[in-house]
C-alpha cells in the first residue's frame, strides 16, 4: 500500500520499491480494492522478498507493522511504521483496510515532505530512493 501511495503522490521524484519481510503469494484483494478507490492501481504487482543489495542502495527503508523487521545497514535510514490496527477495535473487511490505507497515506505524505525538505544526498550515485 505504501509503495503505491508514494508512487501516486511523488511521481518520478522518488524511486519506490516494494518488498516484504514475509511476502505472500499475491496482493491482498482488499488492499488493492481500497487503493483503487483513491486512484492507485496495484493489480499488476506481485509480492517480493527484501533484497539485501537494495537495502544498501536506497536512502530510506520503511517497514510496516509490528512483525516487520529488517537488519539495519550502514548508510541507509530505517523507519518502522506501527500502523493503526482497526481489527483491535472490531473493525473488519474493507472498512478496516480503508482505515489502514488512510493511516499509511498520511505517513507517506509526511515522509515525502521530509524527503523534499532535506538537501540532496551528494554521493556518486546521487541516491534519492526509498523502499517500503
Amino acid at each position: 500500500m505504501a509503495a503505491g501511495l508514494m508512487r501516486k503522490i511523488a511521481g518520478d521524484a522518488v524511486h519506490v520499491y516494494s518488498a516484504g519481510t514475509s511476502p505472500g503469494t499475491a496482493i491482498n484483494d482488499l488492499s488493492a480494492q481500497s487503493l483503487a478507490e483513491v486512484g492507485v492501481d496495484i493489480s499488476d504487482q506481485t509480492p517480493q522478498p527484501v533484497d539485501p543489495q537494495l537495502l544498501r542502495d536506497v536512502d530510506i527503508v520503511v517497514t510496516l507493522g509490528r512483525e516487520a523487521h529488517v537488519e539495519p545497514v550502514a548508510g541507509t535510514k530505517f523507519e518502522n511504521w506501527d500502523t493503526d490496527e482497526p481489527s483491535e477495535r472490531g473493525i473488519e473487511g474493507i472498512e478496516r483496510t480503508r482505515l489502514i490505507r488512510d493511516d499509511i497515506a498520511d505517513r507517506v505524505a509526511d515522509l515525502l515532505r521530509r524527503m523534499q525538505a532535506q538537501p540532496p544526498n551528494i554521493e556518486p550515485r546521487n541516491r534519492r530512493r526509498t523502499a517500503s
Side-chain angles (χ1 to χ4, degrees):
M1 292 180 96
L5 291 163
M6 180 62 87
R7 285 184 186 108
K8 179 181 179 183
I9 67 169
D12 294 336
V14 177
H15 296 276
V16 180
Y17 304 91
S18 179
T21 56
S22 297
T25 58
I27 297 296
N28 178 288
D29 288 336
L30 289 177
S31 294
Q33 181 183 340
S34 73
L35 287 173
E37 292 174 352
V38 295
V40 176
D41 181 7
I42 62 167
S43 63
D44 63 343
Q45 301 295 305
T46 56
Q48 301 293 320
V50 173
D51 176 351
Q53 181 59 48
L54 186 59
L55 295 178
R56 291 186 285 277
D57 291 344
V58 297
D59 292 322
I60 302 170
V61 172
V62 175
T63 54
L64 298 171
R66 296 175 194 132
E67 290 89 35
H69 178 73
V70 177
E71 286 298 318
V73 175
T76 301
K77 181 179 178 184
F78 287 78
E79 293 187 13
N80 180 268
W81 296 348
D82 191 7
T83 55
D84 179 39
E85 184 42 71
S87 64
E88 293 174 355
R89 300 187 308 275
I91 302 169
E92 298 293 340
I94 190 65
E95 192 57 37
R96 170 189 172 268
T97 309
R98 287 175 180 141
L99 290 169
I100 293 170
R101 175 203 62 206
D102 294 346
D103 180 23
I104 293 172
D106 290 342
R107 293 168 190 259
V108 165
D110 177 64
L111 175 60
L112 181 60
R113 279 190 296 275
R114 289 185 284 130
M115 290 173 65
Q116 291 171 331
Q118 294 176 359
N121 186 359
I122 308 301
E123 291 184 13
R125 57 184 173 220
N126 193 15
R127 304 180 310 165
R128 178 56 72 184
R129 299 177 277 184
T130 187
S132 59

